[in-house]
Amino acid sequence: MSVLGMVAWSAAAVSLWLGAARRGARGYRWLAAAATLEAGGLVLARVLGGALSLPSGLSFADLPPLLALGAAAVGIAVLAGGTTPLAPPAALWHGGLPPPVPPGPAAHAGASRPPVSSLAGVADGYVTAVALLVIGWVTMFGAEFHRSGDRPETFLVTLIHPLADLAVLGALLPVASTAWRRVALPYLALLALAVGDALAVGQRVFGGHPGVAAQLMPVAAALLAGAAPWVPARSAGERATAVPASATVIAVLAASAAALVVMVNGVAGAPVSAGALVVAGGAGVLVLAARAFMLARDNGVVLRTWRQSAASLRDLADRTSDAVVVCDLGGLICYAGQAVQDYGYQPGALAGRRLLELVHPGDRRAAVTAARLGLADDAVAARAASVAGSSAGRVPVRVRAADGTWRHVEASVLRYRAPGEPTRMLVTARDVSDQVALRQQVTYLTFHDGLTGLPNRAYVEERARAVLRDGAVSRAGVIFLDLDRFTAVNDSVGHGAGDLVLAQAARRLRAIAPPQHTVARWGSDEFAVLVENAASAQEVTEIADRLADAISAEPFRVSGQQIALTASAGVAIANVAHLDHLGHLDHSGQPGTVLRDADVAMSRAKEAGGDRVEVYAAHMHADTARRREIVSDLQRAIAGSEVSLAYQPIVDLTTSRVTGAEALVRWPRGGLPDARAPESTERPRGGLPDARAPESTERPR
């Protein structure tokens, strides 16, 4: 039988080593080492026959099986441990970003639970091992001890193998119940080995030939261990509970059985008084065991409820219109709800992909920040959100659909932990592309003209404020342009045709103006051009000339008719490079002032007959203000009857006869406006200078 055992354990070692290479599981390498030690122990036992002993009473042949027991325990623990990490490595975070803020106590449910689970497992294993030792001592080993007559320490050395087997079996029981499908065969192999060692106790104590069962059990253990790598194990997608209730139940049952065995043995062989004590003590153990059993049952109920809630969450995720994705802390997608089909993805196809790969590169940093806030505890998240000015765990991002387009979504990131699984991220995303498109359309309509498609007055004013307050801009100019006699176009061909003329005029102006400048429709038939970073005032004036020439270059074609128009333009220059001692612009650089000055210059060009460009001069505003005051005073004078009518005769000096009379309006409180034209800096487009006008600063167009 020993030769059969050597062959069986050697074959098991080879099978386990090949299985480790096939599956890439380190646990099978430890089991292969244990099988090799078992085979080596049988070889030493056959060669030495117990001739060489250690001072403790053990022989050298006893050492390999004890070492094999330790290697087997490590292998089973490694196999049951799984490969799911509790925390992701820093390399999983993309873009060189640091990992998220460590969660607080609530978020550490997945990280703080495993140590507690380990302590609970050790406690369950200890209770089970002690119970098995008590049962074995009362039923088998105690009788052998009394028959042997050995000292307790000597007999304990004799029981080293079965005692060690029982201790390891009890300690590994919580681990085995956690991942039973992965470690069932190795654990059963240990159990068979323990039964064989227990049956061989009599042979070790009294000598003689071991029984057939004691010799067959190690062979069965070798066969079970060798078959372990080749039996299908649990799939990677199955859940494993961290603290299984079954381990606690088994420990309670083992303790109860040990108490019953002690009670029966005490009642059968002890005096009445001693028997009463044994019964009382055993009853107390049974009551504690019953209480522990109820706690384990309650724990099972809670665990089932937890699993049902997790299943309900997934069912809800499949029914909601929001896309629901569960990721590990490294951003690896573990589960995707049915709503991802709205983005063109199949739920199963997203598993294993990284979530950040679907996020727009420009939004990834914001997404990682939202994930940090979502995974942090409430206090940290509240502080970070108040600093960032956003909601904790919520972020608007763009995600890529299956067709390559980008969708606008509003995403939320929360902590999520299913039963038996580490802490993960629960990401929900609601498609807000329609709302974003609507906001963009409203914004466009707010700052653009619906007829011409050009920016409108509000946009020009905003842009002018930005440009004229930018210290990097050396010079800026504003051009106002008005179509001369455009009212006659509406009166002659209608407002619809007039709109077509305005649209054509807008296209001409946009084609002439350099692309870096802003061309806008100011209102009605007026257009405005904001010139940025002009090299000189002459450049702005030349642009105004080209714009006016583009209007008058050729007639506009509308409804089969040709309509010839000209344009009057006003130019105002703002030099924003000069700031006052406080760092603010002087009066001439204020956006409202520059726009007003260009409008005043355009009005002067129209008053002068149109089809010309007028450059704003300082006196224009004063002249306009003076005229406005005169008009206001005259209206008040007429309303107050301050003016009077006088008749002045017309006399023929040759005959001294009155040939007629003229009616004159008299205003005693002031004179009428001077009829002479004010001083101007403009020359008629294409004509000779007015002899009455002073010397101009502009060349004829």
Side-chain angles (χ1 to χ4, degrees):
M1 281 293 188
S2 61
V3 176
L4 181 60
M6 294 180 211
V7 174
W9 281 113
S10 300
V14 174
S15 176
L16 288 167
W17 189 262
L18 293 177
R22 175 175 173 269
R23 289 197 173 188
R26 292 181 303 166
Y28 291 123
R29 294 194 182 98
W30 284 96
L31 293 177
T36 303
L37 290 172
E38 286 288 349
L42 292 176
V43 171
L44 285 178
R46 186 172 183 83
V47 172
L48 300 178
L52 297 178
S53 299
L54 297 173
S56 60
L58 297 175
S59 66
F60 282 100
D62 292 323
L63 293 181
L66 293 176
L67 295 177
L69 188 62
V74 174
I76 292 175
V78 171
L79 286 178
T83 58
T84 303
L86 290 176
L92 292 178
W93 290 90
H94 291 187
L97 299 177
V101 178
H108 268 299
S112 62
R113 194 178 298 273
V116 178
S117 303
S118 300
L119 292 177
V122 171
D124 291 340
Y126 174 78
V127 171
T128 305
V130 170
L132 293 177
L133 290 176
V134 170
I135 294 173
W137 180 267
V138 173
T139 58
M140 298 176 56
F141 307 142
E144 298 291 345
F145 170 68
H146 290 299
R147 283 195 301 161
S148 67
D150 292 337
R151 292 182 300 173
E153 59 273 14
T154 304
F155 188 77
L156 184 62
V157 172
T158 305
L159 295 179
I160 188 65
H161 289 287
L163 293 180
D165 293 339
L166 292 176
V168 171
L169 285 173
L172 289 179
L173 183 59
V175 176
S177 59
T178 300
W180 177 249
R181 296 188 182 182
R182 284 202 297 261
V183 300
L185 292 181
Y187 190 82
L188 291 176
L190 278 183
L191 182 59
L193 198 60
V195 172
D197 289 337
L199 293 176
V201 170
Q203 182 263 337
R204 292 177 60 89
V205 174
F206 303 105
H209 192 276
V212 177
Q215 298 185 46
L216 288 179
M217 283 298 173
V219 177
L223 295 177
L224 290 172
W230 312 103
V231 175
R234 72 186 287 272
S235 62
E238 293 184 50
R239 292 195 296 267
T241 54
V243 189
S246 58
T248 305
V249 171
I250 293 174
V252 170
L253 293 177
S256 301
L260 285 174
V261 169
V262 171
M263 290 172 60
V264 172
N265 181 74
V267 171
V272 176
S273 59
L277 293 177
V278 170
V279 171
V285 173
L286 289 177
V287 171
L288 291 177
R291 179 56 179 155
F293 183 81
M294 288 187 289
L295 292 176
R297 183 191 61 183
D298 295 340
N299 182 55
V301 172
V302 172
L303 190 58
R304 285 194 299 272
T305 304
W306 195 4
R307 288 176 176 172
Q308 290 173 359
S309 65
S312 300
L313 176 63
R314 296 205 172 192
D315 183 64
L316 179 62
D318 290 338
R319 295 176 182 272
T320 183
S321 60
D322 293 351
V324 179
V325 177
V326 177
C327 308
D328 63 12
L329 297 183
L332 195 67
I333 298 176
C334 306
Y335 166 81
Q338 295 296 324
V340 298
Q341 294 179 353
D342 296 338
Y343 299 82
Y345 297 106
Q346 292 300 320
L350 287 179
R353 297 184 62 177
R354 299 200 180 279
L355 187 61
L356 281 182
E357 294 177 358
L358 305 178
V359 180
H360 193 279
D363 299 335
R364 289 178 181 175
R365 184 174 293 274
V368 173
T369 301
R372 294 173 183 168
L373 296 178
L375 295 175
D377 59 45
D378 296 338
V380 174
R383 289 195 299 269
S386 62
V387 173
S390 61
S391 300
R394 299 180 63 87
V395 58
V397 295
R398 289 162 290 178
V399 298
R400 185 174 61 247
D403 58 2
T405 59
W406 295 103
R407 304 275 191 91
H408 291 268
V409 302
E410 188 177 75
S412 300
V413 182
L414 300 172
R415 291 190 303 271
Y416 172 73
R417 189 172 189 273
E421 295 180 355
T423 301
R424 293 177 178 174
M425 293 188 297
L426 176 63
V427 182
T428 61
R430 174 172 297 178
D431 192 343
V432 293
S433 299
D434 293 339
Q435 293 90 320
V436 172
L438 180 60
R439 287 197 298 267
Q440 292 175 347
Q441 183 180 6
V442 171
T443 302
Y444 179 86
L445 295 177
T446 302
F447 292 100
H448 286 78
D449 176 57
L451 175 62
T452 62
L454 296 176
N456 59 13
R457 176 174 180 173
Y459 181 88
V460 173
E461 291 175 344
E462 289 289 337
R463 183 62 185 165
R465 278 192 287 268
V467 170
L468 297 178
R469 286 188 172 90
D470 187 358
V473 178
S474 60
R475 187 182 297 273
V478 176
I479 302 172
F480 268 40
L481 187 140
D482 183 86
L483 302 182
D484 297 328
R485 294 172 296 280
F486 181 76
T487 304
V489 175
N490 288 332
D491 296 339
S492 60
V493 296
H495 289 275
D499 291 342
L500 294 178
V501 171
L502 291 175
Q504 294 181 35
R507 287 195 292 270
R508 292 186 186 184
L509 297 178
R510 182 66 274 180
I512 294 298
Q516 69 271 21
H517 304 326
T518 302
V519 179
R521 184 186 178 193
W522 188 257
S524 185
D525 59 337
E526 296 182 11
F527 297 88
V529 180
L530 179 62
V531 181
E532 305 178 21
N533 287 318
S536 62
Q538 183 64 26
E539 178 184 352
V540 181
T541 305
E542 290 175 355
I543 293 175
D545 285 335
R546 293 198 300 269
L547 294 175
D549 289 339
I551 298 298
S552 60
E554 57 179 331
F556 294 90
R557 302 180 184 274
V558 178
S559 301
Q561 302 183 29
Q562 293 187 354
I563 301 175
L565 292 176
T566 59
S568 300
V571 178
I573 308 298
N575 186 352
V576 301
H578 300 91
L579 305 178
D580 60 16
H581 67 286
L582 296 178
H584 300 298
L585 295 172
D586 57 9
H587 181 72
S588 63
Q590 294 295 335
T593 303
V594 177
L595 295 173
R596 182 206 63 191
D597 294 345
D599 191 20
V600 169
M602 182 192 69
S603 300
R604 181 59 60 87
K606 292 184 71 66
E607 291 173 359
D611 192 21
R612 64 184 64 211
V613 175
E614 187 83 18
V615 180
Y616 178 79
H619 65 80
M620 290 184 179
H621 179 65
D623 292 344
T624 301
R626 178 170 174 266
R627 291 176 182 174
R628 184 175 63 251
E629 292 175 359
I630 291 176
V631 170
S632 178
D633 291 343
L634 184 58
Q635 289 177 344
R636 287 196 302 269
I638 294 174
S641 300
E642 297 179 6
V643 295
S644 59
L645 182 62
Y647 296 95
Q648 181 173 327
I650 300 175
V651 179
D652 186 357
L653 296 180
T654 58
T655 61
S656 297
R657 296 180 59 184
V658 176
T659 61
E662 61 179 356
L664 301 177
V665 176
R666 298 297 183 183
W667 187 8
R669 299 185 59 182
L672 291 175
D674 192 351
R676 294 176 299 171
E679 207 174 13
S680 175
T681 59
E682 195 272 337
R683 295 178 183 273
R685 285 167 47 85
L688 294 176
D690 190 350
R692 294 175 300 172
E695 188 176 358
S696 174
T697 59
E698 184 201 354
R699 296 187 302 274
R701 286 172 45 81

